[in-house]
Amino acid sequence: MADRVRVQADAFDMGAELNTFADSVQGAGAVVSFSGITRDLADGGLAVMEIEHYPGMTEKALTAIRSEAITRFGLIDAMILHRFGPLAPSDPIMMVATAAPHRADAFQAAEFLMDYLKSRAPFWKKEVTASGEAWVASKDEDEDALGRWSQQS
Amino acid sequence: MKLDILYFAWLRERVGTAQEQVETDAATVADLVAELRTRDDGYAYAFSDMGAIRAAVDQELVDGDAPLSGAREVAFFPPMTGG
């Protein structure tokens, strides 16, 4: 379903999104969601977080990751929503939601989606402060987080 | 062959363009990088650390030895930081 993967500049209401998702899934016993929030810097100096992405590839990558999660964890449904453009501290950046008959699969699938999204979906973050701007470096731990899924299969 | 090349994040800033079309005979992604690197200082700087660069051919992530025959679009970018 096309609207299960959304890449948008607009803000979203995570509560409303989750309610719509939960209302639409038939036969689920568990719905799990994760929301990413724009984190301020330790000194509170973040002015803007700019998110760049690769239009076209982003949607393809997210669609593929969603399908993989549905197959792997026997999900009833899953959704991925990710914003791009300038974001302010505490703005929601993205969310995923999963629906399954039982909670273990829904929880695991949400983590799987996040691990893949972190280092396989073409998004890049830049932090802008009063004193300049810097691209956010990728974390080795995000790469490591992918490893556990291949070992489990 | 003609290829559309896209650059993202700091690679885009270092080469100074987001997209360009090039005429090339490069057989692989690595060959294309070697070619681009010789263009000017900005390209040389952008491609100085290949460990910090990812590539996609026609919007699929690939390694440096990926062939370019039949490709239309190649993208270069740093490791992704979504989520």
PDB file of all heavy atoms in Angstrom, chain A residues 37-41 46 49 88-91 93 118 127 139:
ATOM      1  N   ILE A  37      12.603  11.785  17.438  1.00  0.00           N
ATOM      2  CA  ILE A  37      12.403  13.208  17.726  1.00  0.00           C
ATOM      3  C   ILE A  37      13.718  13.941  17.462  1.00  0.00           C
ATOM      4  O   ILE A  37      14.787  13.406  17.742  1.00  0.00           O
ATOM      5  CB  ILE A  37      12.053  13.397  19.225  1.00  0.00           C
ATOM      6  CG1 ILE A  37      10.952  12.433  19.663  1.00  0.00           C
ATOM      7  CG2 ILE A  37      11.692  14.853  19.529  1.00  0.00           C
ATOM      8  CD1 ILE A  37       9.612  12.711  19.080  1.00  0.00           C
ATOM      9  N   THR A  38      13.650  15.162  16.951  1.00  0.00           N
ATOM     10  CA  THR A  38      14.851  15.967  16.725  1.00  0.00           C
ATOM     11  C   THR A  38      15.475  16.313  18.078  1.00  0.00           C
ATOM     12  O   THR A  38      14.868  17.017  18.882  1.00  0.00           O
ATOM     13  CB  THR A  38      14.496  17.273  15.976  1.00  0.00           C
ATOM     14  OG1 THR A  38      13.712  16.936  14.839  1.00  0.00           O
ATOM     15  CG2 THR A  38      15.770  17.990  15.543  1.00  0.00           C
ATOM     16  N   ARG A  39      16.665  15.771  18.322  1.00  0.00           N
ATOM     17  CA  ARG A  39      17.331  15.955  19.612  1.00  0.00           C
ATOM     18  C   ARG A  39      18.167  17.229  19.583  1.00  0.00           C
ATOM     19  O   ARG A  39      18.942  17.458  18.659  1.00  0.00           O
ATOM     20  CB  ARG A  39      18.215  14.741  19.900  1.00  0.00           C
ATOM     21  CG  ARG A  39      18.870  14.755  21.272  1.00  0.00           C
ATOM     22  CD  ARG A  39      19.595  13.444  21.560  1.00  0.00           C
ATOM     23  NE  ARG A  39      20.545  13.087  20.521  1.00  0.00           N
ATOM     24  CZ  ARG A  39      20.480  11.997  19.756  1.00  0.00           C
ATOM     25  NH1 ARG A  39      19.512  11.127  19.921  1.00  0.00           N
ATOM     26  NH2 ARG A  39      21.379  11.765  18.825  1.00  0.00           N
ATOM     27  N   ASP A  40      18.006  18.042  20.624  1.00  0.00           N
ATOM     28  CA  ASP A  40      18.838  19.241  20.738  1.00  0.00           C
ATOM     29  C   ASP A  40      20.256  18.810  21.105  1.00  0.00           C
ATOM     30  O   ASP A  40      20.486  17.684  21.557  1.00  0.00           O
ATOM     31  CB  ASP A  40      18.284  20.169  21.824  1.00  0.00           C
ATOM     32  CG  ASP A  40      18.672  21.635  21.584  1.00  0.00           C
ATOM     33  OD1 ASP A  40      19.640  21.876  20.831  1.00  0.00           O
ATOM     34  OD2 ASP A  40      18.015  22.513  22.160  1.00  0.00           O
ATOM     35  N   LEU A  41      21.219  19.688  20.890  1.00  0.00           N
ATOM     36  CA  LEU A  41      22.589  19.409  21.303  1.00  0.00           C
ATOM     37  C   LEU A  41      22.669  19.533  22.825  1.00  0.00           C
ATOM     38  O   LEU A  41      21.790  20.112  23.459  1.00  0.00           O
ATOM     39  CB  LEU A  41      23.548  20.410  20.641  1.00  0.00           C
ATOM     40  CG  LEU A  41      23.531  20.362  19.108  1.00  0.00           C
ATOM     41  CD1 LEU A  41      24.329  21.511  18.520  1.00  0.00           C
ATOM     42  CD2 LEU A  41      24.097  19.035  18.624  1.00  0.00           C
ATOM     43  N   LEU A  46      21.099  23.797  19.255  1.00  0.00           N
ATOM     44  CA  LEU A  46      20.667  23.428  17.898  1.00  0.00           C
ATOM     45  C   LEU A  46      19.618  24.415  17.380  1.00  0.00           C
ATOM     46  O   LEU A  46      18.580  24.616  18.007  1.00  0.00           O
ATOM     47  CB  LEU A  46      20.074  22.014  17.888  1.00  0.00           C
ATOM     48  CG  LEU A  46      19.648  21.505  16.507  1.00  0.00           C
ATOM     49  CD1 LEU A  46      20.866  21.190  15.640  1.00  0.00           C
ATOM     50  CD2 LEU A  46      18.771  20.266  16.624  1.00  0.00           C
ATOM     51  N   MET A  49      17.771  21.287  12.357  1.00  0.00           N
ATOM     52  CA  MET A  49      18.299  20.026  11.833  1.00  0.00           C
ATOM     53  C   MET A  49      17.776  19.905  10.411  1.00  0.00           C
ATOM     54  O   MET A  49      16.571  19.882  10.187  1.00  0.00           O
ATOM     55  CB  MET A  49      17.786  18.857  12.672  1.00  0.00           C
ATOM     56  CG  MET A  49      18.109  17.504  12.097  1.00  0.00           C
ATOM     57  SD  MET A  49      19.707  16.893  12.633  1.00  0.00           S
ATOM     58  CE  MET A  49      19.258  16.187  14.207  1.00  0.00           C
ATOM     59  N   ALA A  88      12.967  21.670  13.656  1.00  0.00           N
ATOM     60  CA  ALA A  88      13.352  22.351  14.891  1.00  0.00           C
ATOM     61  C   ALA A  88      13.530  21.319  16.004  1.00  0.00           C
ATOM     62  O   ALA A  88      12.963  20.226  15.928  1.00  0.00           O
ATOM     63  CB  ALA A  88      12.277  23.355  15.269  1.00  0.00           C
ATOM     64  N   PRO A  89      14.318  21.668  17.036  1.00  0.00           N
ATOM     65  CA  PRO A  89      14.467  20.751  18.167  1.00  0.00           C
ATOM     66  C   PRO A  89      13.095  20.346  18.700  1.00  0.00           C
ATOM     67  O   PRO A  89      12.191  21.184  18.781  1.00  0.00           O
ATOM     68  CB  PRO A  89      15.227  21.587  19.210  1.00  0.00           C
ATOM     69  CG  PRO A  89      15.979  22.591  18.409  1.00  0.00           C
ATOM     70  CD  PRO A  89      15.101  22.901  17.217  1.00  0.00           C
ATOM     71  N   SER A  90      12.970  19.073  19.023  1.00  0.00           N
ATOM     72  CA  SER A  90      11.757  18.429  19.548  1.00  0.00           C
ATOM     73  C   SER A  90      10.672  18.170  18.494  1.00  0.00           C
ATOM     74  O   SER A  90       9.633  17.602  18.808  1.00  0.00           O
ATOM     75  CB  SER A  90      11.172  19.188  20.756  1.00  0.00           C
ATOM     76  OG  SER A  90      10.399  20.281  20.329  1.00  0.00           O
ATOM     77  N   ASP A  91      10.928  18.536  17.242  1.00  0.00           N
ATOM     78  CA  ASP A  91      10.004  18.145  16.172  1.00  0.00           C
ATOM     79  C   ASP A  91      10.087  16.632  15.939  1.00  0.00           C
ATOM     80  O   ASP A  91      11.191  16.093  15.888  1.00  0.00           O
ATOM     81  CB  ASP A  91      10.405  18.793  14.828  1.00  0.00           C
ATOM     82  CG  ASP A  91       9.862  20.207  14.673  1.00  0.00           C
ATOM     83  OD1 ASP A  91       9.129  20.666  15.570  1.00  0.00           O
ATOM     84  OD2 ASP A  91      10.199  20.841  13.654  1.00  0.00           O
ATOM     85  N   ILE A  93      10.648  13.536  13.773  1.00  0.00           N
ATOM     86  CA  ILE A  93      11.328  13.324  12.487  1.00  0.00           C
ATOM     87  C   ILE A  93      10.654  12.210  11.707  1.00  0.00           C
ATOM     88  O   ILE A  93      10.448  12.300  10.503  1.00  0.00           O
ATOM     89  CB  ILE A  93      12.806  12.902  12.681  1.00  0.00           C
ATOM     90  CG1 ILE A  93      13.605  13.959  13.414  1.00  0.00           C
ATOM     91  CG2 ILE A  93      13.447  12.564  11.338  1.00  0.00           C
ATOM     92  CD1 ILE A  93      15.037  13.519  13.683  1.00  0.00           C
ATOM     93  N   LYS A 118      18.147   3.230   9.734  1.00  0.00           N
ATOM     94  CA  LYS A 118      19.269   4.048  10.210  1.00  0.00           C
ATOM     95  C   LYS A 118      20.439   4.066   9.235  1.00  0.00           C
ATOM     96  O   LYS A 118      21.071   5.094   9.043  1.00  0.00           O
ATOM     97  CB  LYS A 118      19.774   3.505  11.559  1.00  0.00           C
ATOM     98  CG  LYS A 118      18.970   3.981  12.737  1.00  0.00           C
ATOM     99  CD  LYS A 118      19.549   5.268  13.283  1.00  0.00           C
ATOM    100  CE  LYS A 118      18.733   5.814  14.426  1.00  0.00           C
ATOM    101  NZ  LYS A 118      19.027   7.240  14.661  1.00  0.00           N
ATOM    102  N   GLU A 127      23.410  19.356  11.360  1.00  0.00           N
ATOM    103  CA  GLU A 127      23.052  20.185  12.511  1.00  0.00           C
ATOM    104  C   GLU A 127      23.527  21.616  12.269  1.00  0.00           C
ATOM    105  O   GLU A 127      24.704  21.844  11.982  1.00  0.00           O
ATOM    106  CB  GLU A 127      23.697  19.639  13.789  1.00  0.00           C
ATOM    107  CG  GLU A 127      23.111  18.297  14.203  1.00  0.00           C
ATOM    108  CD  GLU A 127      23.916  17.579  15.280  1.00  0.00           C
ATOM    109  OE1 GLU A 127      25.103  17.902  15.461  1.00  0.00           O
ATOM    110  OE2 GLU A 127      23.341  16.687  15.927  1.00  0.00           O
ATOM    111  N   LYS A 139      27.123   6.308  12.925  1.00  0.00           N
ATOM    112  CA  LYS A 139      27.692   5.616  14.089  1.00  0.00           C
ATOM    113  C   LYS A 139      28.005   4.170  13.739  1.00  0.00           C
ATOM    114  O   LYS A 139      27.197   3.491  13.107  1.00  0.00           O
ATOM    115  CB  LYS A 139      26.683   5.625  15.247  1.00  0.00           C
ATOM    116  CG  LYS A 139      26.352   7.000  15.773  1.00  0.00           C
ATOM    117  CD  LYS A 139      25.560   6.853  17.075  1.00  0.00           C
ATOM    118  CE  LYS A 139      25.123   8.186  17.625  1.00  0.00           C
ATOM    119  NZ  LYS A 139      23.976   8.751  16.890  1.00  0.00           N
TER     120      LYS A 139
END
